Amino acid sequence: MTIGSSTHFIYLIVTIIFLVSTMYLVSKLNRRGQNIMFIIGAGICSLGIFFRYGMGLTLEGKITWETFFLQFLQVCNFNAVLVILMLVPKFELARQYSIFFSMFAATTSLISVSRSFAGMEWYDISLVNSWLNHTFSIALPLWMVASRRLKPKKKYILPVIGLVFAYFTIVYILSEILISSGIITVDN
């Protein structure tokens, strides 16, 4: 799949239809139904990220603590933790972070396709897994907005900017340490 290809266009259309229809559905459900939908969405997103084939993780016993922690050096993979934190009713900052930054980051990855997906068929497990991970990290905050359990608030913009800066600073420092130790290379 490449940017502007028919596969890319189909993925975008399917994503839009999925998001609109599920937002409508969640707005009609009772609170318990919404909670079940939130938990299923967070579970799909988190588990999909943990077993992300594009990160070199497989279900064949090749998961190591090293690859598990290294995957969190990528901003979209942090959603594996964020979507779980969003389920905690009093953790408003996680929800606002998701609305103001994380959802935006996940959305851009659906619009600008990774070069690693070039030449893949629409049904390739890495491509489908990536689509699920990014789509559900967008869907969960949108579902919360549709269910009136989340409203973007201006007072959280600066704290979110601070968290984004802290995240990228920490990732940069860790990456430099790992590169200088020979654990990872600049390429990965």
Side-chain angles (χ1 to χ4, degrees):
M1 177 169 78
T2 56
I3 296 174
S5 67
S6 59
T7 303
H8 184 213
F9 183 70
I10 290 168
Y11 264 91
L12 287 176
I13 295 298
V14 167
T15 303
I16 291 167
I17 292 169
F18 172 78
L19 292 174
V20 170
S21 61
T22 56
M23 284 177 65
Y24 177 76
L25 173 66
V26 79
S27 71
K28 300 298 180 191
L29 291 174
N30 62 25
R31 192 166 182 87
R32 181 179 175 164
Q34 291 171 348
N35 288 340
I36 291 169
M37 202 165 158
F38 295 162
I39 291 167
I40 289 171
I44 289 171
C45 183
S46 292
L47 291 174
I49 291 171
F50 287 147
F51 295 102
R52 192 166 174 187
Y53 288 86
M55 294 294 296
L57 303 178
T58 68
L59 296 173
E60 301 164 355
K62 296 182 181 175
I63 297 173
T64 65
W65 284 110
E66 182 181 334
T67 57
F68 178 79
F69 288 115
L70 286 177
Q71 69 179 324
F72 289 98
L73 296 179
Q74 291 190 4
V75 68
C76 285
N77 292 337
F78 184 67
N79 284 319
V81 173
L82 182 64
V83 295
I84 300 300
L85 293 176
M86 287 182 67
L87 298 179
V88 179
K90 301 290 183 189
F91 205 163
E92 186 68 18
L93 185 57
R95 297 174 187 206
Q96 295 294 325
Y97 181 91
S98 182
I99 284 287
F100 286 120
F101 177 72
S102 187
M103 190 173 74
F104 170 76
T107 303
T108 59
S109 69
L110 290 171
I111 295 168
S112 60
V113 181
S114 169
R115 287 179 295 192
S116 63
F117 295 141
M120 287 185 180
E121 297 294 333
W122 69 269
Y123 52 82
D124 189 287
I125 191 68
S126 293
L127 189 58
V128 172
N129 182 263
S130 179
W131 177 80
L132 282 172
N133 298 341
H134 292 97
T135 299
F136 277 95
S137 64
I138 295 167
L140 189 58
L142 289 179
W143 292 347
M144 288 184 167
V145 168
S147 66
R148 293 190 172 94
R149 297 218 209 157
L150 172 62
K151 181 180 178 184
K153 297 177 184 171
K154 289 183 203 176
K155 70 179 185 178
Y156 283 98
I157 293 174
L158 286 178
V160 167
I161 290 171
L163 286 174
V164 171
F165 178 77
Y167 174 80
F168 281 103
T169 303
I170 291 166
V171 166
Y172 172 77
I173 292 168
L174 286 174
S175 296
E176 287 297 321
I177 291 168
L178 293 170
I179 290 168
S180 66
S181 302
I183 295 171
I184 63 172
T185 64
V186 174
D187 294 334
N188 62 12

